[in-house]
Amino acid sequence: MGKLKALIEEIKTSEFFRNVLILSSGTALAQLIPLIIAPFLSRIYSPEEFGRLALYLAITQILGSLATGRYELAILLPKEERKGVQLTLLSIFISVAVSLIALIGVLFFHSEIAVLLGDPKLEKWLYLVPLSVLMIGCFNALNYFNTRSKQFKNIARANVFKSSGGGLVQLGLGALNFTSGGLILGQTLSHFFGNIRLSKAFLKYRDVILGSKAQEIQKLARRYVDFPKFSMWGIFLNTLSANVINMFVSRAFSLSTVGFYSLAYRYLGLPSILVGNAFSQVYMVEASESRRKKGNSKEEFLGVLKKLSIVSLLFLIIGVFFVEEVFVLVFGEEWRFSGKYARILIPLFAIRLVVTALSVTFSVFEKQRESLIWNIILVVASLFAMTISYLFNMEITLFLYLYSATLSVFYLLLLYRTYKISKGIN
């Protein structure tokens, strides 16, 4: 009893828990409105239209992972506030450049891309990809700047703006029978709503923004060049491994199957969004400070590991028994396949919830090269599952079992290595 009281008291007085609570509650609220809207969207839009959205997201998320050169991770590292502002500027400039390159690609190859993905009707919506990439890059940069400034309330509000704004646009367009691209348009605008809120803290530094010289920004770009050299390709490969599945399923099975799979994937990922990301952001700040002072972040690592493991175990137990019927109840009988897919994928998502939150340890200890190697292994593991499925002409459920088992083993190995790094061991 005494230990329980001590734990409760620690939670009350802990700045870490306070910041996690702010981010978690804001993110929870950000997901609440779309979650309320979701049963309506699943009855307005067809599985094919959700599949088309999944393919669009696959493109924008893969390109979005390159948008900032991953310089946003460096925003937390310098002691001087001026350098933090300038790294944010650098990230935004790179986002503009990447979005312009994406525009050129879409202008010349829009038809070929749509056919390659197995959905010719996607062609006209590809013109929105450059805008989405720009919005994603700006959101990531501003999000990390707010994290650096410990503006956790602002981040929470931005997540509310982003998620609810996009969901309401999707619902409104659906209600007007504009179902051909309503989901895509809502998704594109969502990051714009979030950026409006996040820019508030950044624009307080107008003097630094306007007074920054190109030479200063170039110097910072060279100082943290390992982020685009290694970390960027690491997150690119990580994002590719997650999204190439949608492309594979579209080609190997059908657009409707992509819709069923993407809905399961999205809502199984909610615990990571609601809890994992909050823990990860706060842990990164605490671990960075601990590394500067002690040379390691073992204590912070183990603390987060213990707490997230409890959350993950609860998620796994509840999900295995109830997830299929919950999907049918919430989204309708038409989406039962999504519930079946979700049951298969739950062990993978439970493990990944813990590991991805702690994987920022690579950035804290500037282990970008090793992070890149792990992400190459992740892509290879995903391709292995897809290749075996193709060679043996597997049904979608058998493929998902293989995919879930393969990646679960990968994430457990990654967790062990991340722990070693947190101890300051090379």
Side-chain angles (χ1 to χ4, degrees):
M1 193 68 179
K3 289 184 178 180
L4 180 59
K5 287 183 178 179
L7 179 61
I8 293 172
E9 189 60 32
E10 179 188 347
I11 292 173
K12 287 180 178 178
T13 58
S14 170
E15 182 183 359
F16 180 91
F17 268 105
R18 201 159 49 243
N19 291 334
V20 168
L21 181 61
I22 290 170
L23 285 176
S24 297
S25 59
T27 307
L29 182 58
Q31 295 300 319
L32 180 60
I33 294 177
L35 201 56
I36 294 172
I37 293 173
F40 299 98
L41 294 180
S42 65
R43 289 165 173 83
I44 293 173
Y45 298 96
S46 68
E48 288 85 356
E49 285 155 346
F50 273 92
R52 186 166 297 120
L53 172 65
L55 294 177
Y56 179 84
L57 285 174
I59 299 169
T60 58
Q61 288 173 1
I62 290 170
L63 293 177
S65 67
L66 304 173
T68 61
R70 293 303 276 171
Y71 275 111
E72 78 269 26
L73 294 175
I75 292 170
L76 299 174
L77 301 180
K79 292 182 180 179
E80 301 90 337
E81 198 67 27
R82 180 180 181 86
K83 290 182 178 179
V85 174
Q86 290 172 338
L87 282 165
T88 307
L89 274 177
L90 174 62
S91 300
I92 294 172
F93 290 156
I94 295 173
S95 297
V96 173
V98 173
S99 64
L100 288 174
I101 294 170
L103 177 61
I104 293 170
V106 169
L107 289 174
F108 284 97
F109 303 109
H110 50 91
S111 298
E112 291 82 355
I113 294 170
V115 171
L116 180 65
L117 293 175
D119 181 22
K121 291 183 180 179
L122 181 64
E123 179 182 344
K124 62 182 177 182
W125 301 110
L126 291 176
Y127 291 101
L128 290 175
V129 166
L131 178 60
S132 288
V133 171
L134 177 60
M135 291 295 101
I136 290 171
C138 290
F139 186 87
N140 290 341
L142 294 171
N143 185 51
Y144 272 90
F145 181 79
N146 278 262
T147 301
R148 173 190 173 87
S149 305
K150 296 190 177 182
Q151 296 288 326
F152 297 114
K153 288 184 179 178
N154 208 37
I155 295 171
R157 291 181 183 127
N159 284 327
V160 172
F161 275 48
K162 171 176 170 284
S163 193
S164 60
L168 290 171
V169 169
Q170 291 172 334
L171 181 61
L173 291 175
L176 295 172
N177 291 322
F178 190 74
T179 56
S180 61
L183 290 173
I184 292 175
L185 286 170
Q187 182 64 39
T188 302
L189 290 172
S190 64
H191 282 94
F192 174 73
F193 296 132
N195 284 331
I196 291 174
R197 185 68 203 186
L198 287 177
S199 63
K200 182 180 178 182
F202 181 63
L203 293 176
K204 290 180 180 178
Y205 294 87
R206 288 185 182 87
D207 292 343
V208 178
I209 295 170
L210 297 174
S212 293
K213 298 179 180 178
Q215 295 89 337
E216 292 180 282
I217 296 176
Q218 288 171 2
K219 185 177 179 180
L220 286 170
R222 289 192 294 270
R223 165 64 182 86
Y224 296 103
V225 72
D226 276 358
F227 285 99
K229 280 176 67 177
F230 303 107
S231 219
M232 180 180 75
W233 297 111
I235 194 64
F236 169 76
L237 291 170
N238 190 297
T239 307
L240 179 65
S241 70
N243 287 282
V244 75
I245 300 297
N246 288 327
M247 300 175 182
F248 171 75
V249 171
S250 176
R251 296 288 298 185
F253 302 102
S254 69
L255 190 60
S256 294
T257 305
V258 179
F260 293 130
Y261 168 78
S262 65
L263 195 78
Y265 189 95
R266 176 179 180 179
Y267 288 101
L268 282 182
L270 274 181
S272 287
I273 297 172
L274 295 173
V275 180
N277 287 353
F279 269 88
S280 180
Q281 284 184 266
V282 179
Y283 164 71
M284 189 171 184
V285 175
E286 300 287 334
S288 298
E289 292 178 359
S290 180
R291 187 203 173 191
R292 286 195 293 266
K293 293 176 182 177
K294 302 185 297 184
N296 69 78
S297 63
K298 177 184 174 183
E299 184 179 341
E300 290 75 13
F301 182 96
L302 291 176
V304 173
L305 175 61
K306 180 180 178 180
K307 297 174 184 72
L308 279 181
S309 295
I310 295 171
V311 174
S312 177
L313 185 60
L314 289 172
F315 169 60
L316 176 62
I317 293 171
I318 295 171
V320 165
F321 288 104
F322 302 109
V323 67
E324 183 175 337
E325 294 309 318
V326 168
F327 266 72
V328 172
L329 178 65
V330 174
F331 303 111
E333 182 63 38
E334 184 182 12
W335 295 91
R336 182 173 289 277
F337 281 117
S338 290
K340 292 181 182 295
Y341 300 164
R343 188 193 296 275
I344 298 170
L345 294 167
I346 273 181
L348 168 61
F349 276 79
I351 295 169
R352 199 168 70 176
L353 166 64
V354 178
V355 180
T356 53
L358 291 166
S359 65
V360 294
T361 304
F362 284 98
S363 296
V364 171
F365 285 82
E366 298 186 53
K367 295 277 186 184
Q368 290 86 1
R369 296 187 185 193
E370 184 175 347
S371 178
L372 176 60
I373 293 171
W374 279 101
N375 280 291
I376 291 172
I377 296 171
L378 176 60
V379 172
V380 171
S382 299
L383 291 175
F384 167 78
M386 287 184 283
T387 302
I388 295 299
S389 173
Y390 177 78
L391 291 176
F392 289 92
N393 197 26
M394 291 182 176
E395 294 183 351
I396 181 65
T397 52
L398 188 56
F399 162 66
L400 292 178
Y401 276 118
L402 174 63
Y403 177 71
S404 181
T406 303
L407 265 63
S408 293
V409 172
F410 165 82
Y411 280 113
L412 289 173
L413 293 172
L414 179 61
L415 178 63
Y416 176 74
R417 177 53 188 155
T418 308
Y419 170 61
K420 290 288 188 181
I421 293 173
S422 75
K423 294 168 67 176
I425 297 174
N426 291 325

